[in-house]
Short mmCIF file of all heavy atoms in Angstrom, two decimals:
data_model
loop_
_atom_site.label_atom_id
_atom_site.label_comp_id
_atom_site.label_asym_id
_atom_site.label_seq_id
_atom_site.Cartn_x
_atom_site.Cartn_y
_atom_site.Cartn_z
N MET A 1 -17.28 -188.82 -175.43
CA MET A 1 -17.84 -187.64 -174.83
C MET A 1 -18.20 -186.68 -175.95
O MET A 1 -17.41 -186.38 -176.81
CB MET A 1 -16.82 -187.01 -173.89
CG MET A 1 -17.25 -185.67 -173.39
SD MET A 1 -16.11 -184.76 -172.32
CE MET A 1 -14.97 -185.86 -171.65
N ASN A 2 -19.45 -186.20 -175.91
CA ASN A 2 -19.89 -185.26 -176.88
C ASN A 2 -20.02 -183.88 -176.26
O ASN A 2 -20.61 -183.77 -175.17
CB ASN A 2 -21.24 -185.66 -177.51
CG ASN A 2 -21.14 -186.93 -178.30
OD1 ASN A 2 -20.09 -187.19 -178.90
ND2 ASN A 2 -22.18 -187.71 -178.36
N ILE A 3 -19.52 -182.86 -176.92
CA ILE A 3 -19.65 -181.51 -176.45
C ILE A 3 -20.38 -180.73 -177.51
O ILE A 3 -20.09 -180.80 -178.69
CB ILE A 3 -18.30 -180.86 -176.16
CG1 ILE A 3 -17.62 -181.62 -175.04
CG2 ILE A 3 -18.42 -179.40 -175.82
CD1 ILE A 3 -16.27 -181.13 -174.68
N LYS A 4 -21.40 -179.98 -177.07
CA LYS A 4 -22.25 -179.24 -178.01
C LYS A 4 -22.29 -177.77 -177.59
O LYS A 4 -22.53 -177.46 -176.44
CB LYS A 4 -23.66 -179.84 -177.98
CG LYS A 4 -24.63 -179.15 -178.88
CD LYS A 4 -25.99 -179.85 -178.78
CE LYS A 4 -27.01 -179.14 -179.63
NZ LYS A 4 -28.37 -179.79 -179.51
N VAL A 5 -22.05 -176.88 -178.51
CA VAL A 5 -22.18 -175.44 -178.27
C VAL A 5 -23.63 -175.06 -178.41
O VAL A 5 -24.22 -175.24 -179.47
CB VAL A 5 -21.32 -174.62 -179.26
CG1 VAL A 5 -21.51 -173.13 -179.01
CG2 VAL A 5 -19.84 -175.00 -179.13
N VAL A 6 -24.22 -174.61 -177.31
CA VAL A 6 -25.66 -174.30 -177.29
C VAL A 6 -25.90 -172.83 -177.68
O VAL A 6 -26.88 -172.52 -178.38
CB VAL A 6 -26.25 -174.61 -175.90
CG1 VAL A 6 -27.72 -174.24 -175.82
CG2 VAL A 6 -26.03 -176.06 -175.54
N ARG A 7 -24.99 -171.97 -177.23
CA ARG A 7 -25.24 -170.54 -177.48
C ARG A 7 -23.93 -169.89 -177.87
O ARG A 7 -22.88 -170.23 -177.34
CB ARG A 7 -25.75 -169.91 -176.17
CG ARG A 7 -26.53 -168.64 -176.40
CD ARG A 7 -27.07 -168.12 -175.07
NE ARG A 7 -28.25 -168.90 -174.65
CZ ARG A 7 -28.72 -168.88 -173.44
NH1 ARG A 7 -28.21 -168.15 -172.53
NH2 ARG A 7 -29.79 -169.60 -173.19
N GLY A 8 -23.96 -168.98 -178.78
CA GLY A 8 -22.77 -168.21 -179.16
C GLY A 8 -22.09 -168.88 -180.36
O GLY A 8 -22.52 -169.89 -180.90
N ASN A 9 -21.02 -168.28 -180.78
CA ASN A 9 -20.23 -168.77 -181.93
C ASN A 9 -18.77 -168.70 -181.57
O ASN A 9 -18.07 -167.72 -181.90
CB ASN A 9 -20.56 -167.88 -183.16
CG ASN A 9 -20.01 -168.49 -184.41
OD1 ASN A 9 -19.58 -169.63 -184.43
ND2 ASN A 9 -19.98 -167.69 -185.47
N PRO A 10 -18.23 -169.70 -180.84
CA PRO A 10 -16.82 -169.63 -180.42
C PRO A 10 -15.88 -169.79 -181.58
O PRO A 10 -16.17 -170.49 -182.55
CB PRO A 10 -16.69 -170.79 -179.45
CG PRO A 10 -17.74 -171.76 -179.88
CD PRO A 10 -18.86 -170.92 -180.42
N THR A 11 -14.73 -169.15 -181.44
CA THR A 11 -13.66 -169.34 -182.44
C THR A 11 -13.05 -170.70 -182.22
O THR A 11 -13.20 -171.30 -181.15
CB THR A 11 -12.59 -168.24 -182.30
OG1 THR A 11 -11.96 -168.40 -181.01
CG2 THR A 11 -13.21 -166.87 -182.45
N PRO A 12 -12.32 -171.22 -183.16
CA PRO A 12 -11.65 -172.52 -182.96
C PRO A 12 -10.69 -172.49 -181.78
O PRO A 12 -10.55 -173.49 -181.06
CB PRO A 12 -10.89 -172.74 -184.27
CG PRO A 12 -11.66 -171.99 -185.32
CD PRO A 12 -12.19 -170.78 -184.57
N GLU A 13 -10.04 -171.35 -181.53
CA GLU A 13 -9.14 -171.26 -180.41
C GLU A 13 -9.90 -171.32 -179.08
O GLU A 13 -9.47 -171.97 -178.12
CB GLU A 13 -8.31 -169.95 -180.46
CG GLU A 13 -7.32 -169.90 -181.62
CD GLU A 13 -7.95 -169.44 -182.93
OE1 GLU A 13 -9.12 -169.01 -182.93
OE2 GLU A 13 -7.27 -169.57 -183.97
N GLU A 14 -11.04 -170.65 -179.00
CA GLU A 14 -11.85 -170.66 -177.75
C GLU A 14 -12.42 -172.08 -177.52
O GLU A 14 -12.41 -172.56 -176.40
CB GLU A 14 -13.01 -169.68 -177.89
CG GLU A 14 -12.57 -168.24 -177.87
CD GLU A 14 -13.71 -167.28 -178.20
OE1 GLU A 14 -14.70 -167.70 -178.87
OE2 GLU A 14 -13.64 -166.12 -177.80
N LEU A 15 -12.83 -172.74 -178.57
CA LEU A 15 -13.31 -174.07 -178.42
C LEU A 15 -12.25 -175.06 -178.01
O LEU A 15 -12.47 -175.91 -177.16
CB LEU A 15 -13.93 -174.54 -179.77
CG LEU A 15 -14.83 -175.72 -179.73
CD1 LEU A 15 -15.98 -175.54 -178.75
CD2 LEU A 15 -15.41 -176.01 -181.13
N ALA A 16 -11.05 -174.88 -178.56
CA ALA A 16 -9.92 -175.73 -178.14
C ALA A 16 -9.56 -175.50 -176.67
O ALA A 16 -9.21 -176.46 -175.96
CB ALA A 16 -8.71 -175.46 -179.07
N ALA A 17 -9.59 -174.25 -176.26
CA ALA A 17 -9.26 -173.95 -174.84
C ALA A 17 -10.30 -174.57 -173.92
O ALA A 17 -9.95 -175.16 -172.86
CB ALA A 17 -9.18 -172.43 -174.64
N ALA A 18 -11.57 -174.46 -174.27
CA ALA A 18 -12.61 -175.02 -173.42
C ALA A 18 -12.51 -176.56 -173.40
O ALA A 18 -12.65 -177.16 -172.31
CB ALA A 18 -13.99 -174.63 -173.95
N LEU A 19 -12.18 -177.17 -174.52
CA LEU A 19 -12.04 -178.62 -174.55
C LEU A 19 -10.81 -179.05 -173.71
O LEU A 19 -10.89 -180.08 -173.04
CB LEU A 19 -11.90 -179.08 -175.99
CG LEU A 19 -11.84 -180.59 -176.19
CD1 LEU A 19 -13.08 -181.25 -175.62
CD2 LEU A 19 -11.68 -180.89 -177.68
N ALA A 20 -9.76 -178.29 -173.76
CA ALA A 20 -8.56 -178.62 -172.97
C ALA A 20 -8.89 -178.59 -171.47
O ALA A 20 -8.45 -179.46 -170.70
CB ALA A 20 -7.45 -177.65 -173.28
N VAL A 21 -9.67 -177.61 -171.03
CA VAL A 21 -10.02 -177.51 -169.63
C VAL A 21 -10.90 -178.72 -169.22
O VAL A 21 -10.70 -179.33 -168.17
CB VAL A 21 -10.77 -176.17 -169.33
CG1 VAL A 21 -11.39 -176.17 -167.95
CG2 VAL A 21 -9.85 -175.02 -169.52
N VAL A 22 -11.84 -179.07 -170.06
CA VAL A 22 -12.71 -180.23 -169.78
C VAL A 22 -11.90 -181.51 -169.68
O VAL A 22 -12.10 -182.32 -168.80
CB VAL A 22 -13.82 -180.35 -170.85
CG1 VAL A 22 -14.59 -181.64 -170.68
CG2 VAL A 22 -14.76 -179.16 -170.71
N ARG A 23 -10.96 -181.68 -170.58
CA ARG A 23 -10.13 -182.88 -170.58
C ARG A 23 -9.24 -182.95 -169.35
O ARG A 23 -9.09 -184.02 -168.73
CB ARG A 23 -9.25 -182.98 -171.82
CG ARG A 23 -10.01 -183.37 -173.04
CD ARG A 23 -9.09 -183.58 -174.20
NE ARG A 23 -9.82 -184.10 -175.34
CZ ARG A 23 -9.24 -184.31 -176.52
NH1 ARG A 23 -7.98 -184.02 -176.71
NH2 ARG A 23 -9.98 -184.80 -177.51
N VAL A 24 -8.67 -181.83 -168.95
CA VAL A 24 -7.81 -181.81 -167.76
C VAL A 24 -8.63 -182.12 -166.52
O VAL A 24 -8.20 -182.88 -165.64
CB VAL A 24 -7.07 -180.44 -167.61
CG1 VAL A 24 -6.45 -180.28 -166.26
CG2 VAL A 24 -6.06 -180.32 -168.73
N ARG A 25 -9.81 -181.52 -166.41
CA ARG A 25 -10.67 -181.81 -165.24
C ARG A 25 -11.11 -183.26 -165.20
O ARG A 25 -11.13 -183.88 -164.13
CB ARG A 25 -11.91 -180.89 -165.26
CG ARG A 25 -11.67 -179.42 -165.09
CD ARG A 25 -11.20 -179.07 -163.69
NE ARG A 25 -12.15 -179.49 -162.66
CZ ARG A 25 -12.94 -178.72 -161.97
NH1 ARG A 25 -12.91 -177.41 -162.21
NH2 ARG A 25 -13.74 -179.17 -161.05
N ALA A 26 -11.44 -183.83 -166.34
CA ALA A 26 -11.84 -185.25 -166.39
C ALA A 26 -10.65 -186.16 -166.00
O ALA A 26 -10.84 -187.12 -165.30
CB ALA A 26 -12.33 -185.59 -167.79
N ALA A 27 -9.43 -185.81 -166.47
CA ALA A 27 -8.28 -186.63 -166.11
C ALA A 27 -7.95 -186.49 -164.62
O ALA A 27 -7.61 -187.49 -163.99
CB ALA A 27 -7.07 -186.18 -166.94
N ALA A 28 -8.16 -185.31 -164.04
CA ALA A 28 -7.89 -185.13 -162.61
C ALA A 28 -8.91 -185.88 -161.79
O ALA A 28 -8.58 -186.44 -160.74
CB ALA A 28 -7.88 -183.67 -162.29
N ALA A 29 -10.15 -185.92 -162.24
CA ALA A 29 -11.19 -186.65 -161.50
C ALA A 29 -10.92 -188.14 -161.57
O ALA A 29 -11.26 -188.90 -160.64
CB ALA A 29 -12.54 -186.32 -162.07
N ALA A 30 -10.40 -188.64 -162.68
CA ALA A 30 -10.12 -190.07 -162.80
C ALA A 30 -8.93 -190.49 -161.95
O ALA A 30 -8.90 -191.61 -161.47
CB ALA A 30 -9.84 -190.40 -164.30
N VAL A 31 -7.97 -189.60 -161.71
CA VAL A 31 -6.80 -189.92 -160.94
C VAL A 31 -7.04 -189.83 -159.45
O VAL A 31 -6.56 -190.63 -158.66
CB VAL A 31 -5.62 -188.97 -161.31
CG1 VAL A 31 -4.46 -189.18 -160.38
CG2 VAL A 31 -5.19 -189.21 -162.75
N ALA A 32 -7.92 -188.87 -159.02
CA ALA A 32 -8.17 -188.69 -157.59
C ALA A 32 -8.97 -189.87 -157.07
O ALA A 32 -9.93 -190.30 -157.67
CB ALA A 32 -8.94 -187.38 -157.38
N PRO A 33 -8.58 -190.38 -155.88
CA PRO A 33 -9.37 -191.48 -155.30
C PRO A 33 -10.75 -190.98 -154.85
O PRO A 33 -10.87 -189.86 -154.42
CB PRO A 33 -8.53 -191.96 -154.09
CG PRO A 33 -7.63 -190.80 -153.80
CD PRO A 33 -7.43 -190.04 -155.10
N SER A 34 -11.72 -191.82 -154.98
CA SER A 34 -13.09 -191.43 -154.61
C SER A 34 -13.16 -191.27 -153.12
O SER A 34 -12.59 -192.01 -152.34
CB SER A 34 -14.07 -192.45 -155.09
OG SER A 34 -13.83 -193.68 -154.45
N GLY A 35 -13.93 -190.23 -152.71
CA GLY A 35 -14.12 -190.00 -151.29
C GLY A 35 -12.96 -189.25 -150.65
O GLY A 35 -12.97 -189.04 -149.45
N ALA A 36 -11.96 -188.88 -151.40
CA ALA A 36 -10.82 -188.17 -150.84
C ALA A 36 -11.18 -186.69 -150.69
O ALA A 36 -11.53 -186.00 -151.66
CB ALA A 36 -9.60 -188.29 -151.77
N GLU A 37 -11.17 -186.24 -149.46
CA GLU A 37 -11.42 -184.85 -149.20
C GLU A 37 -10.30 -184.26 -148.42
O GLU A 37 -9.58 -184.98 -147.73
CB GLU A 37 -12.71 -184.71 -148.37
CG GLU A 37 -13.97 -185.22 -149.09
CD GLU A 37 -15.21 -185.08 -148.19
OE1 GLU A 37 -15.10 -184.46 -147.15
OE2 GLU A 37 -16.23 -185.62 -148.58
N GLY A 38 -10.10 -183.00 -148.54
CA GLY A 38 -9.04 -182.32 -147.83
C GLY A 38 -9.37 -182.24 -146.34
O GLY A 38 -10.42 -182.69 -145.89
N PRO A 39 -8.46 -181.71 -145.56
CA PRO A 39 -8.76 -181.61 -144.13
C PRO A 39 -9.94 -180.67 -143.89
O PRO A 39 -10.15 -179.71 -144.63
CB PRO A 39 -7.47 -181.00 -143.58
CG PRO A 39 -6.80 -180.36 -144.73
CD PRO A 39 -7.19 -181.15 -145.93
N ALA A 40 -10.71 -181.00 -142.87
CA ALA A 40 -11.90 -180.19 -142.57
C ALA A 40 -11.48 -178.78 -142.16
O ALA A 40 -10.49 -178.58 -141.43
CB ALA A 40 -12.70 -180.85 -141.48
N ASP A 41 -12.23 -177.83 -142.61
CA ASP A 41 -11.95 -176.46 -142.28
C ASP A 41 -12.33 -176.22 -140.80
O ASP A 41 -13.42 -176.54 -140.35
CB ASP A 41 -12.79 -175.53 -143.18
CG ASP A 41 -12.40 -174.08 -143.00
OD1 ASP A 41 -11.37 -173.79 -142.34
OD2 ASP A 41 -13.13 -173.22 -143.55
N ALA A 42 -11.40 -175.63 -140.05
CA ALA A 42 -11.61 -175.46 -138.62
C ALA A 42 -12.81 -174.53 -138.36
O ALA A 42 -13.52 -174.70 -137.36
CB ALA A 42 -10.38 -174.90 -137.95
N TRP A 43 -13.03 -173.57 -139.24
CA TRP A 43 -14.14 -172.64 -139.02
C TRP A 43 -15.49 -173.32 -139.20
O TRP A 43 -16.48 -172.91 -138.63
CB TRP A 43 -14.05 -171.47 -139.94
CG TRP A 43 -13.00 -170.52 -139.50
CD1 TRP A 43 -11.74 -170.40 -140.05
CD2 TRP A 43 -13.03 -169.59 -138.42
NE1 TRP A 43 -11.02 -169.46 -139.37
CE2 TRP A 43 -11.79 -168.94 -138.36
CE3 TRP A 43 -14.00 -169.26 -137.50
CZ2 TRP A 43 -11.50 -167.95 -137.41
CZ3 TRP A 43 -13.71 -168.29 -136.57
CH2 TRP A 43 -12.50 -167.67 -136.54
N ALA A 44 -15.56 -174.35 -140.02
CA ALA A 44 -16.81 -175.03 -140.28
C ALA A 44 -17.05 -176.19 -139.32
O ALA A 44 -18.08 -176.83 -139.36
CB ALA A 44 -16.80 -175.59 -141.72
N ASP A 45 -16.09 -176.49 -138.44
CA ASP A 45 -16.22 -177.62 -137.51
C ASP A 45 -17.16 -177.25 -136.38
O ASP A 45 -16.89 -176.34 -135.60
CB ASP A 45 -14.82 -177.96 -136.99
CG ASP A 45 -14.86 -179.23 -136.14
OD1 ASP A 45 -15.86 -179.96 -136.15
OD2 ASP A 45 -13.84 -179.51 -135.46
N PRO A 46 -18.30 -177.94 -136.22
CA PRO A 46 -19.23 -177.64 -135.14
C PRO A 46 -18.64 -177.88 -133.79
O PRO A 46 -19.03 -177.27 -132.79
CB PRO A 46 -20.42 -178.54 -135.41
CG PRO A 46 -20.23 -179.13 -136.75
CD PRO A 46 -18.79 -178.94 -137.12
N ALA A 47 -17.65 -178.76 -133.66
CA ALA A 47 -17.04 -179.04 -132.37
C ALA A 47 -16.29 -177.82 -131.84
O ALA A 47 -16.15 -177.67 -130.64
CB ALA A 47 -16.11 -180.22 -132.49
N ARG A 48 -15.82 -176.97 -132.72
CA ARG A 48 -15.13 -175.78 -132.29
C ARG A 48 -16.05 -174.88 -131.50
O ARG A 48 -15.66 -174.31 -130.47
CB ARG A 48 -14.56 -175.01 -133.51
CG ARG A 48 -13.82 -173.74 -133.12
CD ARG A 48 -13.42 -172.96 -134.36
NE ARG A 48 -14.58 -172.44 -135.07
CZ ARG A 48 -15.11 -171.27 -134.81
NH1 ARG A 48 -14.66 -170.51 -133.83
NH2 ARG A 48 -16.17 -170.86 -135.48
N ILE A 49 -17.30 -174.78 -131.92
CA ILE A 49 -18.26 -173.90 -131.26
C ILE A 49 -18.75 -174.58 -129.97
O ILE A 49 -18.87 -173.95 -128.94
CB ILE A 49 -19.44 -173.60 -132.17
CG1 ILE A 49 -18.94 -172.81 -133.38
CG2 ILE A 49 -20.52 -172.81 -131.45
CD1 ILE A 49 -19.95 -172.70 -134.50
N ALA A 50 -19.00 -175.88 -130.03
CA ALA A 50 -19.55 -176.59 -128.87
C ALA A 50 -18.49 -176.75 -127.77
O ALA A 50 -18.88 -176.94 -126.62
CB ALA A 50 -20.10 -177.92 -129.28
N ALA A 51 -17.22 -176.72 -128.10
CA ALA A 51 -16.19 -176.94 -127.08
C ALA A 51 -16.07 -175.79 -126.10
O ALA A 51 -15.71 -175.98 -124.93
CB ALA A 51 -14.85 -177.15 -127.77
N ALA A 52 -16.36 -174.58 -126.54
CA ALA A 52 -16.22 -173.40 -125.69
C ALA A 52 -17.52 -173.21 -124.90
O ALA A 52 -18.61 -173.47 -125.39
CB ALA A 52 -15.92 -172.19 -126.51
N ARG A 53 -17.37 -172.75 -123.68
CA ARG A 53 -18.53 -172.46 -122.88
C ARG A 53 -19.11 -171.10 -123.28
O ARG A 53 -18.35 -170.12 -123.36
CB ARG A 53 -18.12 -172.44 -121.39
CG ARG A 53 -19.29 -172.39 -120.49
CD ARG A 53 -18.88 -172.62 -119.04
NE ARG A 53 -19.88 -172.02 -118.23
CZ ARG A 53 -19.70 -171.02 -117.40
NH1 ARG A 53 -18.49 -170.53 -117.26
NH2 ARG A 53 -20.66 -170.50 -116.72
N VAL A 54 -20.38 -171.02 -123.47
CA VAL A 54 -21.04 -169.82 -123.89
C VAL A 54 -21.28 -168.95 -122.65
O VAL A 54 -21.81 -169.43 -121.62
CB VAL A 54 -22.36 -170.13 -124.58
CG1 VAL A 54 -23.08 -168.84 -124.99
CG2 VAL A 54 -22.11 -171.01 -125.79
N PRO A 55 -20.90 -167.65 -122.72
CA PRO A 55 -21.13 -166.79 -121.54
C PRO A 55 -22.63 -166.63 -121.29
O PRO A 55 -23.43 -166.56 -122.22
CB PRO A 55 -20.46 -165.46 -121.86
CG PRO A 55 -20.26 -165.49 -123.32
CD PRO A 55 -20.26 -166.92 -123.78
N ALA A 56 -22.96 -166.51 -120.02
CA ALA A 56 -24.38 -166.35 -119.64
C ALA A 56 -24.85 -164.94 -119.99
O ALA A 56 -24.11 -163.98 -119.84
CB ALA A 56 -24.53 -166.60 -118.14
N PRO A 57 -26.08 -164.82 -120.49
CA PRO A 57 -26.58 -163.48 -120.81
C PRO A 57 -26.84 -162.67 -119.51
O PRO A 57 -27.11 -163.25 -118.44
CB PRO A 57 -27.88 -163.74 -121.55
CG PRO A 57 -28.25 -165.10 -121.14
CD PRO A 57 -27.02 -165.85 -120.83
N GLY A 58 -26.75 -161.37 -119.60
CA GLY A 58 -26.98 -160.55 -118.43
C GLY A 58 -26.79 -159.09 -118.82
O GLY A 58 -26.55 -158.76 -119.98
N PRO A 59 -26.88 -158.20 -117.86
CA PRO A 59 -26.75 -156.77 -118.16
C PRO A 59 -25.42 -156.38 -118.75
O PRO A 59 -25.34 -155.46 -119.53
CB PRO A 59 -27.00 -156.09 -116.80
CG PRO A 59 -27.29 -157.12 -115.83
CD PRO A 59 -27.13 -158.47 -116.46
N ALA A 60 -24.35 -157.09 -118.40
CA ALA A 60 -23.02 -156.73 -118.92
C ALA A 60 -22.57 -157.70 -120.00
O ALA A 60 -21.36 -157.79 -120.30
CB ALA A 60 -22.01 -156.71 -117.78
N SER A 61 -23.49 -158.44 -120.59
CA SER A 61 -23.09 -159.45 -121.58
C SER A 61 -22.50 -158.83 -122.84
O SER A 61 -21.75 -159.48 -123.54
CB SER A 61 -24.28 -160.32 -121.93
OG SER A 61 -25.29 -159.54 -122.57
N TRP A 62 -22.74 -157.58 -123.11
CA TRP A 62 -22.19 -156.93 -124.29
C TRP A 62 -20.68 -156.84 -124.15
O TRP A 62 -19.94 -156.74 -125.13
CB TRP A 62 -22.80 -155.55 -124.54
CG TRP A 62 -22.49 -154.61 -123.41
CD1 TRP A 62 -23.24 -154.40 -122.27
CD2 TRP A 62 -21.40 -153.70 -123.33
NE1 TRP A 62 -22.63 -153.44 -121.49
CE2 TRP A 62 -21.51 -152.98 -122.14
CE3 TRP A 62 -20.31 -153.41 -124.17
CZ2 TRP A 62 -20.60 -152.03 -121.73
CZ3 TRP A 62 -19.41 -152.45 -123.76
CH2 TRP A 62 -19.54 -151.77 -122.55
N THR A 63 -20.12 -156.88 -122.91
CA THR A 63 -18.67 -156.80 -122.72
C THR A 63 -18.01 -158.13 -123.00
O THR A 63 -16.78 -158.20 -123.11
CB THR A 63 -18.32 -156.36 -121.28
OG1 THR A 63 -18.86 -157.34 -120.38
CG2 THR A 63 -18.91 -155.00 -121.00
N ARG A 64 -18.77 -159.21 -123.11
CA ARG A 64 -18.19 -160.53 -123.32
C ARG A 64 -18.55 -161.03 -124.71
O ARG A 64 -18.72 -162.24 -124.94
CB ARG A 64 -18.76 -161.50 -122.29
CG ARG A 64 -18.33 -161.15 -120.86
CD ARG A 64 -18.83 -162.18 -119.91
NE ARG A 64 -20.22 -162.44 -119.94
CZ ARG A 64 -21.14 -161.94 -119.09
NH1 ARG A 64 -20.73 -161.17 -118.11
NH2 ARG A 64 -22.40 -162.20 -119.19
N THR A 65 -18.63 -160.19 -125.70
CA THR A 65 -18.97 -160.64 -127.05
C THR A 65 -17.78 -161.27 -127.77
O THR A 65 -17.96 -161.95 -128.71
CB THR A 65 -19.51 -159.49 -127.90
OG1 THR A 65 -18.58 -158.44 -127.91
CG2 THR A 65 -20.86 -158.97 -127.34
N TYR A 66 -16.55 -161.01 -127.30
CA TYR A 66 -15.38 -161.62 -127.91
C TYR A 66 -15.02 -162.86 -127.14
O TYR A 66 -14.80 -162.78 -125.93
CB TYR A 66 -14.24 -160.63 -127.93
CG TYR A 66 -12.97 -161.28 -128.39
CD1 TYR A 66 -12.78 -161.65 -129.71
CD2 TYR A 66 -11.91 -161.56 -127.49
CE1 TYR A 66 -11.60 -162.26 -130.15
CE2 TYR A 66 -10.76 -162.15 -127.91
CZ TYR A 66 -10.61 -162.49 -129.27
OH TYR A 66 -9.46 -163.10 -129.68
N TRP A 67 -15.04 -164.01 -127.82
CA TRP A 67 -14.72 -165.28 -127.15
C TRP A 67 -13.37 -165.75 -127.63
O TRP A 67 -13.23 -166.33 -128.74
CB TRP A 67 -15.74 -166.32 -127.45
CG TRP A 67 -17.13 -165.98 -127.05
CD1 TRP A 67 -17.50 -165.06 -126.12
CD2 TRP A 67 -18.33 -166.54 -127.54
NE1 TRP A 67 -18.84 -165.01 -126.00
CE2 TRP A 67 -19.38 -165.92 -126.86
CE3 TRP A 67 -18.62 -167.50 -128.46
CZ2 TRP A 67 -20.70 -166.23 -127.11
CZ3 TRP A 67 -19.94 -167.82 -128.72
CH2 TRP A 67 -20.97 -167.21 -128.03
N PRO A 68 -12.31 -165.56 -126.87
CA PRO A 68 -10.98 -166.03 -127.33
C PRO A 68 -10.97 -167.57 -127.32
O PRO A 68 -11.61 -168.22 -126.50
CB PRO A 68 -10.04 -165.49 -126.32
CG PRO A 68 -10.84 -165.15 -125.13
CD PRO A 68 -12.24 -164.91 -125.58
N ALA A 69 -10.23 -168.10 -128.31
CA ALA A 69 -10.18 -169.57 -128.44
C ALA A 69 -9.14 -170.15 -127.51
O ALA A 69 -8.24 -169.60 -127.05
CB ALA A 69 -9.85 -169.92 -129.88
#
């Protein structure tokens, strides 16, 4: 793996810190199984929105803007 400083003039300590971060991330990526994702976020789940019945629009619909789960 080649690392090249494109801009700036890092000190040896800064360069060593950056290289350590890159090595740790590469080692973590090698250990993690491919396709492993954490549990789906409930807020991003489209089924959460589709499961609830949407209130019908009407003159008093502003009173039903809060949809309890």
Side-chain angles (χ1 to χ4, degrees):
M1 171 184 339
N2 294 330
I3 296 178
K4 180 180 177 182
V5 177
V6 178
R7 203 177 283 165
N9 190 12
T11 64
E13 292 83 10
E14 292 171 335
L15 196 55
L19 184 58
V21 170
V22 170
R23 283 186 174 177
V24 168
R25 293 291 303 253
V31 172
S34 63
E37 297 179 9
D41 188 10
W43 286 102
D45 186 13
R48 180 186 68 86
I49 297 169
R53 190 170 157 244
V54 178
S61 63
W62 64 272
T63 62
R64 295 184 306 259
T65 55
Y66 173 71
W67 300 340

